[in-house]
Amino acid sequence: MSAVLQEAPVAYDPSAEGGKSLRELVDVLRRRRLLIASVAAGLFAIAVAVAFALPAVYRSSATILIKEQEIPQEFVRSTVTSFADERIQVISQQIMTRATLLELVDKYALYGSARQRETSEEIIDRMRRDIKLTPISAEVTDRRTGSPVKSTIAFSLSYDSESAANAQRIANELVTLYLNENVKNRQQKAAETTSFIDDELQRASQYVSELEAKLADFKKRNPGRTPEFSVSNQVASERASAEMQRLDREIAFLDDRRMSLQAQLADTKPQAPVVSNGSTLMEPEDRLRALELQLTGLTSVYSESHPDVKRVRREIAVLKAETGLRSEASDREAKLEELQHQLSVLRQKYSDDHPDVIRLKRATAAIELAMRTGADAPADRASAVVRSRKPDNPVYLTLKSQIETLSAQIQSMRTERDELRAKQLLYDQRVGQSPEVEREYLELARDLDSSRAHFRELRDKQTRAQVAEQLEKERKAERFTLIEPPVYPEKPTRPNRPLIMTMGLVLALVGGFGAGALREAVDQTVHGPRDAARMLQVPVLAVLPRDPSPVLVRRRRLRRRLIAAAVVGAAALALAGLHAFVMPLDVAWFSLLRRLGN
C-alpha cells in the first residue's frame, strides 16, 4: 500500500468549516445511490399505479344558444322580463331536484357500485357535481342606453361519467330538460300574466258596473239636481217667475173686466120687454112693483072697499101666484162664504196689496152691501124673487156668457199660476240643493272616470298579454336553441395520466434525493478527510487510497445493473403510458421526425 500525498498539511479550524464541495456531493450521491434510486422508483411506481388505477371519466358537452325574439319588440313585447342568467339558474334549480335526478339515475342505472355503499343523498350530490353548466358571455350593445355591456349569449351543458355512452345519453337528457323547461316556464309566466290581467280586468269591470249603478241610483234619488241641470233649473225658475207675473197681470185685467160685466149684468133685466101695439109692456116684477106703488097711493086716498083698491090687490095677488117668486138670501150667503174662504187662502200667500186680494175684498163688500140693502127694504120687498122661467134677454145672456167665459179663464190662469208657483218652488229647491248634490255627484263621477280609464288601460294590457302569450306558444320569443348537440366522447377528460406520472416522477426524484440527504445527515461514519478532521480535531496530513476488495467490486456491478434495469423499466413504463394515453408511439415517432426535419 503506497501513500500518496493528496493535499498539504493544514491545521483544522472548526470555525472555518463551510459547505460541502462538488466532489463530496458526488461522493454522497455515490454512497446513497441505491437508497435514492429505490425511494424514487417506489414513489414513481406509486404514481404510475395511481394514474392507472383512477377510473377514466368521459365528458359529453352541448352548447345551447340564447336566441333573441324574432319579431321586433316595438311590435310585440314579451311579458317574460327576466334576464337569461336568472332564467338559467331558475331552470337549473328546477331540474336539479331530487326527483328528476333520481329518475335519471334509475333510468340509466348510474353509479351501480356506488349505490350499494352510498345513500341516495350522496348519489344526488355526486351527480350534481358531475353536471357542469358554464355560461358563455360576450360584449353586446344595450339597446336602451347604447353602451356596451357583458351579456350571456349561450351556455354549455356537460355531464361526466365513467361510461362514454352514459355521458352522451345523460347530456342529451339534460339538454332536452333545459329546452323543455325553458319553453314551459316562459309559457307558464305568459299564461300567469294573462290570467292575472284577466282577473284584474274582471274586478275593474265589476267595480265600474257598481259605480255606474251607484251613479244611476244617485240620479234617480236626485232628479233634476245634478250639475248638468243647474243652469236649466235657474233658467226654468226665472221663466216660471216671469210667466207668473204675466198671469197675474192677465188675471187682474180679466177680473176687472168681469166685475165691469157683472155690474152691467146687474143693471140688465133677464127677460126682454114685451112690445104690444106699439107700446112696451112692463116686466112682471116691474108690473108688480108699479102695482104696489099704485096700491100705496090708492090706499092713501080710498078705503079698502074702493073698487080700484080691490082691483089692484087682485092683480097683485094674481101676479104673485103666476110668477112663483123665491128669495135670493140663501144664494147671497153661500156666495159670501165662498168669497170669504178664497180671501183667507190668498191672504196666507200674498199681502193685502195683491190684485187677487183686492178683487175679492171688493166682491165681498158688494155682496154684503146688497144683503144689507135687502134687509132694510119692506117685508114684501125683502122677499123679492126672480122668475122661474129662463132669461131671454140677448144682452143679459151675452153678458152672462162673457162673465162665465172670463171666470173660466181666470180659474184656468189661477190653476196654471199655482202650477207654475209649485214648479218655481221645486226649481228653487233644486238650485239650493245643487252644491251638496254636485259634490257627491262629482265624487262619484270622478271615481267612475278613473275606474273607466283604469279599465281601458287593463283592456289594452290584456290584448298585449294575449298577443305575448300567443308569441310564446308559437315559440317566436326569446328561446334556447341547441347549436352543438352532445357527441360521443372518444377520450376521457380525466384523469390526466401523463400529468400524474410526470408529477409522480418529479415527486419521486425529490423524495429520493430527500431520503439520501436525510440518511446522510443522520450517518456518523467517517467518509473523508473533512469528517476525520471534524471528529479528531487534528489536521489531516495525507489521504491514502484503498484498494477495493472483489466482494465490493461485485456489489458495485450488481448495483449498476439494478439501476440500469430500473431506468430501462421506468423508460418502458413511460413509453407504454405515452402509447396508451397520449398517442401511439408510431404517430409520436413520425411527429418527432417531422419536427426535426423542419
Side-chain angles (χ1 to χ4, degrees), residues 468-480:
E469 183 179 3
Q470 190 65 27
L471 183 72
E472 296 293 341
K473 289 181 179 179
E474 296 181 2
R475 299 188 181 182
K476 301 290 185 181
E478 182 182 281
R479 61 190 183 276
F480 292 167

Side-chain angles (χ1 to χ4, degrees), residues 486-548:
V487 297
Y488 185 86
E490 297 179 355
K491 294 181 179 180
T493 56
R494 67 174 189 272
N496 190 347
R497 291 187 172 89
L499 179 62
I500 293 175
M501 289 188 294
T502 302
M503 295 299 296
L505 179 60
V506 172
L507 292 176
L509 294 176
V510 171
F513 285 111
L518 181 62
R519 181 70 182 83
E520 184 68 19
V522 299
D523 189 9
Q524 297 297 327
T525 306
V526 177
H527 297 288
R530 185 182 295 269
D531 295 337
R534 184 180 64 252
M535 293 181 63
L536 299 176
Q537 297 294 323
V538 295
V540 178
L541 299 178
V543 177
L544 299 177
R546 184 181 57 182
D547 292 336

